[in-house]
Amino acid sequence: MHKEVLRSIAGIEIYPLISFGIFFLFFLGLIVYVFIANRQHLHEMSQMPLRPDAADAATDEAEGAALYDSKLW
């Protein structure tokens, strides 16, 4: 039944070609990006979640101290 519904749609045969083209261009672009990307930049980006930022650490410390001071003992 589904085949008959799809066959009755005019121009339906172009959609698989369009989706394959998008798929192919995306991965071709990704491969090109990987080969021309700056290795140092990629390494720095991969290390970002692992290293603490000095400004964030100072802010967290100040918030922790303010929270501690605001408690009623």
Side-chain angles (χ1 to χ4, degrees), residues 17-40:
L17 295 173
I18 291 171
S19 63
F20 176 73
I22 292 170
F23 174 82
F24 182 76
L25 290 175
F26 174 77
F27 282 103
L28 183 66
L30 192 64
I31 289 172
V32 169
Y33 173 75
V34 166
F35 283 114
I36 66 170
N38 183 352
R39 302 282 184 223
Q40 181 63 31

Side-chain angles (χ1 to χ4, degrees), residues 1-68:
M1 179 176 157
H2 295 292
K3 288 181 184 179
E4 296 304 319
V5 171
L6 292 176
R7 285 183 190 159
S8 67
I9 300 173
I12 192 75
E13 63 275 354
I14 194 69
Y15 290 110
L17 295 173
I18 291 171
S19 63
F20 176 73
I22 292 170
F23 174 82
F24 182 76
L25 290 175
F26 174 77
F27 282 103
L28 183 66
L30 192 64
I31 289 172
V32 169
Y33 173 75
V34 166
F35 283 114
I36 66 170
N38 183 352
R39 302 282 184 223
Q40 181 63 31
H41 176 71
L42 293 178
H43 181 70
E44 288 174 7
M45 292 297 115
S46 70
Q47 296 300 314
M48 279 181 68
L50 303 176
R51 65 174 175 231
D53 189 23
D56 288 342
T59 304
D60 291 343
E61 208 172 280
E63 287 174 356
L67 224 140
Y68 181 74

